[in-house]
């Protein structure tokens, strides 16, 4: 068991927007969190990534908290930041070193090279981040998340703002990494179609309620809603 | 009298050393500030330091820095370190209030309570520097050497973390690091540099040294490391050149240094634009 969520209440400033969430994630799964706007998808992901405190309940990990890679929605600062791909991917390794060490070790450099290779950004690793396309930028941030955590990454709407072609490429890449490297993935997305295509498990948030189950169960659930 | 003869005077040597060293410090802290969209913060905080200096002049403090320093560090930590965590008043508005407010309080306090004769000179000196820079002593030189060594060591040891905390705070938080610690440390050092630099160079030059070298470097370079290295070198060279020009042809020293910085920025802007048009 990679992640277990028990009796969780989430929200901002002590006001809960969703209560009694219970689910667990096995190693190697691919969980998509879907639902309408405002149902708390991002809030849940931020709570899992510990950017927000849970209002009530408990989130337990089988891995160290440091072994979680995080890929956020793009911030304004990042869109014109002067930094190379290599410099950004390398910051993923910071959680592994001691606080005072000014250089990366050989092991960390190998990890950085591995992540750059897996996300297929080798040919652009010397380029400036702000000059890349949206799809390339998302792969760079994915590589950084992989350096931070080889086993477990969480993503908050990673394809927001990408064109359909780049979106498809990104999902393909993510699916390959999940399958070949056994990386556990938790992703917030709007895209029901690709959720059904790639995810092993689905968490569908609704106001005051949620569905959690395997991909097959979710297909049944969706059919039930239509009829 | 030619330049080489001028360089023999201790006051010229002190001015050169101190202004180059403070330029290095200010431009180093300037790169993360500009990238975090805090460019105006340098000027706001210089004004807070001005207010601290005004208070020090009123009480006729033996060591004005003992008053200026805590003031500036506290303001920096509140504005930068916690700035994004409290959203009662927007960052833009709070910065504007602090800039205007501290100037007014400082000027009011000096005019109302100061026992000293030449108030206008005191105010002008603290804001724009000038004579102060040409009347430095060895204590000032050692002070700026000390702070430069400190700032350089901080940037060498925490280089990657300063980069990470500038680029993406949320990622650091989510991967189990402590971005707040680094943000606060960087804010405190920013406050120290601004306080010392305001005392030696005046608040206007301090603010200029924070923004112009960083912005010039960003016209030319696309990697963070190159930006930070070029900004410090550019700042040092501009200060050196500015002081020499101002002494040789008798111009106001601090504003000459700023004009040299502005000139460099526009030259690089043109170079960058031409390069992009041709490429």
């Amino acid at each position: 068991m990679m992640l277990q969520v028990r009796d969780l209440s989430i929200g901002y400033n002590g006001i809960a927007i969703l209560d009694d969430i219970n689910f667990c994630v096995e190693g190697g799964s691919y969980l998509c969190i879907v639902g309408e706007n405002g149902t708390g998808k991002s809030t849940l992901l931020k709570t899992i990534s510990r950017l927000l405190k849970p209002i009530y309940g408990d989130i337990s990990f089988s891995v160290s908290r440091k072994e979680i890679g995080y890929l956020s929605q793009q911030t304004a600062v990042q869109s014109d930041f002067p930094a190379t791909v290599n410099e950004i991917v390398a910051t993923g390794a910071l959680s592994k070193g001691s606080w005072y060490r000014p250089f990366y070790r050989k092991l960390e450099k190998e990890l950085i090279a591995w992540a750059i290779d897996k996300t297929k950004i080798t040919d652009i690793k010397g380029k400036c981040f702000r000059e890349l396309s949206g799809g390339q930028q998302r792969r760079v941030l994915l590589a950084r998340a992989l350096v931070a955590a080889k086993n477990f990454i969480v993503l908050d709407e990673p394809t927001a703002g990408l064109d359909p072609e780049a979106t498809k490429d990104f999902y393909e890449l993510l699916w390959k990494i999940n399958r070949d490297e056994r990386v556990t993935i938790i992703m917030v997305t709007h895209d029901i179609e690709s959720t059904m295509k790639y995810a092993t498990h689905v968490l569908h948030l609704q106001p005051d309620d949620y569905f959690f189950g395997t991909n097959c169960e979710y297909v049944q659930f969706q059919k039930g809603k239509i009829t | 009298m030619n330049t080489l003869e001028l360089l023999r005077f201790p006051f010229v040597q002190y001015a050169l050393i101190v202004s180059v060293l403070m330029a290095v410090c200010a431009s180093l802290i300037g790169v993360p500030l500009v990238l975090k969209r805090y460019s105006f913060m340098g000027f706001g905080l210089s004004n807070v330091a001005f207010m601290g200096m005004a208070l020090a002049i009123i009480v006729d403090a033996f060591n004005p820095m003992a008053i200026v320093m805590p003031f500036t560090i506290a303001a920096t930590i509140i504005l930068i370190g916690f700035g994004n965590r409290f959203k009662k008043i927007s960052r833009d508005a709070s910065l504007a209030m602090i800039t205007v407010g501290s100037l007014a309080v400082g000027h009011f306090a000096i005019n109302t309570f100061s026992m000293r004769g030449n108030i206008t000179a005191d105010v002008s000196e603290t804001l724009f520097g000038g004579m102060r820079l040409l009347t430095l002593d060895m204590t000032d030189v050692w002070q700026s050497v000390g702070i430069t060594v400190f700032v350089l060591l901080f940037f060498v040891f925490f280089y990657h973390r300063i980069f990470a905390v500038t680029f993406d705070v949320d990622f650091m938080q989510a991967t189990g690091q402590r971005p707040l610690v680094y943000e606060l440390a960087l804010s405190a050092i920013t406050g120290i540099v601004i306080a010392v630099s305001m005392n030696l160079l005046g608040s206007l030059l301090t603010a200029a040294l924070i923004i112009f070298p960083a912005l010039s470097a960003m016209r030319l370079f696309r990697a963070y490391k190159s930006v930070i290295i070029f900004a410090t070198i550019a700042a040092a060279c501009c200060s050196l050149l500015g002081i020499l020009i101002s002494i040789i042809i008798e111009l106001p020293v601090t504003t000459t240094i700023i004009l040299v910085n502005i000139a460099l920025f526009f030259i690089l802007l043109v170079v960058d634009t031409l390069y992009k048009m041709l490429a």
Side-chain angles (χ1 to χ4, degrees):
Chain A
M1 197 90 65
M2 200 90 192
L3 163 72
Q4 186 152 26
V5 171
R6 266 184 245 113
D7 303 332
L8 184 70
S9 290
I10 54 166
Y12 287 94
N13 304 325
I15 300 158
I17 54 174
L18 199 58
D19 292 307
D20 280 330
I21 312 163
N22 287 281
F23 65 92
C24 57
V25 178
E26 304 278 350
S29 350
Y30 187 143
L31 170 70
C32 279
I33 303 175
V34 294
E36 295 293 311
N37 281 333
T39 46
K41 302 190 297 290
S42 283
T43 311
L44 176 60
L45 199 75
K46 281 183 181 146
T47 313
I48 292 171
S49 334
R50 169 176 60 163
L51 296 173
L52 291 172
K53 286 199 179 88
I55 288 174
Y56 181 80
D58 172 54
I59 303 169
S60 55
F61 288 91
S62 62
V63 292
S64 147
R65 281 284 201 164
K66 287 191 175 181
E67 286 165 48
I68 304 166
Y70 177 70
L71 200 157
S72 61
Q73 290 177 355
Q74 189 122 3
T75 62
V77 170
Q78 291 169 3
S79 58
D80 61 351
F81 204 93
T84 63
V85 168
N86 217 5
E87 284 179 313
I88 290 168
V89 176
T91 59
L94 284 177
S95 60
K96 301 178 189 317
S98 3
W99 59 271
Y100 52 82
R101 197 159 35 77
F103 305 108
Y104 293 114
R105 282 175 303 193
K106 188 160 173 283
L107 196 70
E108 288 158 5
K109 283 182 181 155
E110 284 169 7
L111 192 59
I112 293 164
W114 169 82
I116 285 179
D117 179 51
K118 283 295 157 206
T119 50
K120 302 192 176 68
I121 49 173
T122 316
D123 51 329
I124 53 165
K125 69 177 178 183
K127 284 209 169 162
C128 178
F129 184 73
R130 65 180 173 204
E131 284 160 7
L132 302 177
S133 71
Q136 289 171 323
Q137 290 187 341
R138 250 37 83 86
R139 280 187 300 184
V140 172
L141 298 181
L142 176 63
R144 179 183 64 166
L146 279 172
V147 171
K150 291 172 70 168
N151 301 315
F152 188 23
I153 50 178
V154 295
L155 307 94
D156 194 355
E157 298 198 29
T159 58
L162 295 188
D163 61 59
E165 192 66 24
T167 303
K168 190 168 153 279
D169 287 350
F170 189 84
Y171 281 136
E172 289 278 334
L173 178 67
L174 206 56
W175 178 67
K176 263 190 196 135
I177 287 170
N178 169 253
R179 190 194 55 188
D180 300 344
E181 311 295 328
R182 300 274 303 151
V183 178
T184 311
I185 287 170
I186 298 184
M187 175 166 72
V188 165
T189 178
H190 275 298
D191 194 337
I192 303 279
E193 197 182 317
S194 55
T195 296
M196 289 188 177
K197 190 168 169 196
Y198 298 114
T200 61
H201 295 76
V202 181
L203 178 63
H204 187 122
L205 301 183
Q206 291 161 318
D208 304 320
D209 193 18
Y210 68 88
F211 164 89
F212 176 75
T214 62
N215 193 321
C216 291
E217 288 163 355
Y218 185 62
V219 172
Q220 293 302 321
F221 169 77
Q222 285 287 34
K223 273 184 190 159
K225 273 208 312 194
I226 293 163
T227 52
Chain B
M1 190 153 51
N2 67 39
T3 324
L4 283 175
E5 278 175 51
L6 267 174
L7 288 175
R8 285 209 210 100
F9 290 106
F11 83 91
V12 177
Q13 295 169 355
Y14 294 164
L16 282 174
I17 294 170
V18 167
S19 60
V20 166
L21 290 180
M22 289 325 292
V24 166
C25 293
S27 57
L28 269 176
I29 59 159
V31 173
L33 274 186
V34 169
L35 286 174
K36 279 220 139 189
R37 310 278 165 89
Y38 288 132
S39 301
F40 201 67
M41 196 69 82
F43 189 59
L45 291 168
S46 303
N47 282 330
V48 172
F50 164 78
M51 181 170 70
M53 189 56 102
L55 297 178
I57 291 174
I58 293 170
V59 300
D60 219 354
F62 174 68
N63 184 0
M65 290 315 281
I67 294 176
V68 177
M69 195 79 94
F71 241 89
T72 319
I73 294 175
T76 320
I77 288 177
I78 291 167
L79 278 174
I80 304 179
F82 294 113
N84 288 333
R85 289 176 171 76
F86 300 114
K87 291 202 168 109
K88 288 261 188 287
I89 302 172
S90 77
R91 186 213 286 168
D92 165 64
S94 58
L95 185 55
M97 288 198 305
I98 283 200
T99 309
V100 176
S102 52
L103 253 182
V105 171
H107 185 260
F108 177 83
I110 274 195
N111 273 286
T112 316
F113 303 111
S114 178
M115 294 298 141
R116 302 224 298 234
N118 198 343
I119 290 165
T120 320
D122 274 349
V123 172
S124 164
E125 192 57 28
T126 340
L127 284 177
F128 302 114
M131 284 313 292
R132 176 85 174 99
L133 187 55
L134 298 175
T135 52
L136 300 169
D137 56 27
M138 274 312 279
T139 326
D140 299 321
V141 175
W142 283 118
Q143 193 184 23
S144 48
V145 169
I147 194 156
T148 309
V149 170
F150 178 65
V151 171
L152 283 175
L153 282 178
F154 179 79
F155 268 80
V156 168
F157 274 95
F158 296 106
Y159 170 77
H160 293 294
R161 282 172 172 83
I162 293 169
F163 172 66
V165 95
T166 317
F167 185 70
D168 196 343
V169 176
D170 282 354
F171 181 80
M172 281 187 96
Q173 181 84 36
T175 50
Q177 301 172 71
R178 295 213 196 106
L180 186 60
V181 173
Y182 299 104
E183 280 186 294
L184 290 183
L186 192 58
S187 314
I189 285 178
T190 303
I192 294 171
V193 170
I194 289 176
V196 172
S197 175
M198 194 281 311
N199 178 34
L200 299 173
L201 310 179
S203 59
L204 189 69
L205 179 54
T206 302
L209 287 172
I210 287 174
I211 47 176
F212 281 110
L215 289 169
S216 298
M218 278 175 229
R219 298 284 78 72
L220 271 199
F221 294 97
R222 304 285 178 264
Y224 190 76
K225 195 177 265 175
S226 332
V227 165
I228 223 166
I229 291 171
F230 180 82
T232 49
I233 294 173
C237 294
C238 287
S239 287
L240 202 63
L241 191 63
I243 289 204
L244 290 178
I245 292 174
S246 77
I247 290 177
I248 293 167
I249 51 177
E250 293 183 21
L251 294 169
V253 56
T254 51
T255 33
T256 307
I257 298 177
I258 298 178
L259 289 182
V260 173
N261 273 290
I262 294 175
L264 178 70
F265 172 78
F266 279 107
I267 292 169
L268 295 180
L269 185 66
V270 170
V271 169
D272 184 36
T273 315
L274 285 179
Y275 179 81
K276 272 182 188 148
M277 277 165 67
L278 294 174

